[in-house]
Amino acid sequence: MLDGEQVSYTLTRKQVKNINMRIRQETGLSVSAPPSVPIEQIEEAIRENQQKILQALHRSVQEEVHHSQQYPVAYTDGETVLYLGQECLLAVAFGRTEGVHPEKNRLLLVTKNPADAARRKRIFDAWWNDACEHAVCNLCRAVYPIFEKHQVAFPTIRFRAMVSQWGNCRPQRGVLTFNTRLLAVPVRCIEYVVMHEFTHFLYPNHSAQFYQFIAQELPDWRQLQQTLQRDVETRIAR
């Protein structure tokens, strides 16, 4: 119980030095702690930070409501879609050539049968995934010359829906995987994700050298990272 509210949490035992807490959109309060730390000590740390935790949990709920409006639910007129960092309204229209067309502050979904919800969803999702792949692959080709100088082979590029990652790198396999939701964020943020994942081929960690390399190409990487982190999770500063 925190200030009269019942709060559940997920505990992960791992080799860390301290008790760490964060709020994740998908799981709520997550706590990681060393194997030797007793539950009583962990829960005392939670109580010591109860105000920060409750504020972050309440903010997370509000953000989740906002996030739920960033991608179509019913694929109908007037739904909000976050597209390349800009809020757009979805519009549905009849047409023989089906597809989605960005037009200033709206996305026009054209379908032969506007009343068919499954068809609207299929058209929109297919367009979204194709557009995301096109945007990310273009940026991969744009940044690759930087890494080609370091004898990095052009990787296999994959895409899938991910809950808490914008992308990941498997250096030994030569594979980069990107989140299909990347099309929602500004182009500069996509560029940062691409640069971040490519840099793991040189530094398979998050060392000082890793971020120094990124800073050479993207001096504003911290601001871009903060924008992305606000979309993924709410962190608790202890």
Side-chain angles (χ1 to χ4, degrees):
M1 299 296 293
L2 300 182
D3 197 22
E5 293 189 41
Q6 182 173 326
V7 175
S8 62
Y9 66 94
T10 301
L11 174 62
T12 303
R13 297 289 190 174
K14 57 173 63 176
Q15 297 301 322
V16 292
K17 294 181 180 180
N18 304 307
I19 299 171
N20 301 306
M21 290 175 276
R22 64 178 56 183
I23 305 297
R24 295 186 181 277
Q25 289 281 355
E26 67 276 13
T27 57
L29 175 60
S30 295
V31 181
S32 59
S36 60
V37 176
I39 290 291
E40 293 77 13
Q41 185 176 341
I42 293 171
E43 295 197 343
E44 179 59 29
I46 292 175
R47 283 190 288 271
E48 289 175 358
N49 290 273
Q50 67 177 6
Q51 292 305 319
K52 292 179 181 178
I53 290 171
L54 289 173
Q55 289 173 4
L57 283 171
H58 296 161
R59 186 166 60 248
S60 179
V61 171
Q62 294 173 350
E63 289 179 354
E64 186 173 357
V65 172
H66 179 61
H67 278 283
S68 68
Q69 301 171 351
Q70 292 182 356
Y71 197 82
V73 177
Y75 300 83
T76 56
D77 279 322
E79 287 192 87
T80 302
V81 182
L82 192 63
Y83 170 67
L84 295 179
Q86 180 181 8
E87 284 194 355
C88 299
L89 291 180
L90 183 64
V92 179
F94 169 81
R96 296 293 181 186
T97 304
E98 297 184 318
V100 178
H101 309 281
E103 297 179 348
K104 293 185 179 179
N105 296 326
R106 75 170 187 167
L107 297 174
L108 179 63
L109 192 164
V110 179
T111 172
K112 297 176 182 177
N113 186 358
D116 187 335
R119 193 183 193 94
R120 296 196 305 269
K121 181 181 188 308
R122 186 168 59 251
I123 293 169
F124 187 92
D125 290 351
W127 166 80
W128 180 276
N129 291 337
D130 287 346
C132 181
E133 292 183 16
H134 182 75
V136 171
C137 287
N138 279 347
L139 286 168
C140 286
R141 287 189 287 269
V143 307
Y144 177 63
I146 298 170
F147 299 90
E148 188 176 21
K149 297 175 184 177
H150 297 271
Q151 288 74 53
V152 174
F154 193 83
T156 298
I157 309 296
R158 296 175 179 170
F159 296 86
R160 64 184 178 89
M162 292 187 274
V163 175
S164 60
Q165 289 183 303
W166 289 117
N168 63 55
C169 174
R170 294 180 177 269
Q172 294 180 341
R173 297 184 181 182
V175 175
L176 295 182
T177 303
F178 295 98
N179 192 338
T180 53
R181 291 295 291 126
L182 269 174
L183 196 65
V185 307
V187 173
R188 289 278 293 142
C189 290
I190 302 177
E191 182 182 3
Y192 165 70
V193 173
V194 169
M195 180 67 66
H196 183 112
E197 300 307 334
F198 260 96
T199 303
H200 277 310
F201 286 121
L202 303 178
Y203 304 96
N205 49 41
H206 290 107
S207 62
Q209 292 89 346
F210 173 87
Y211 286 110
Q212 286 170 2
F213 185 91
I214 292 178
Q216 294 174 6
E217 302 298 329
L218 297 176
D220 60 341
W221 70 267
R222 289 184 185 274
Q223 293 88 338
L224 299 173
Q225 184 188 64
Q226 288 170 2
T227 299
L228 289 166
Q229 286 176 341
R230 284 196 298 269
D231 286 340
V232 177
E233 65 186 42
T234 302
R235 297 180 183 271
I236 300 175
R238 296 197 64 212

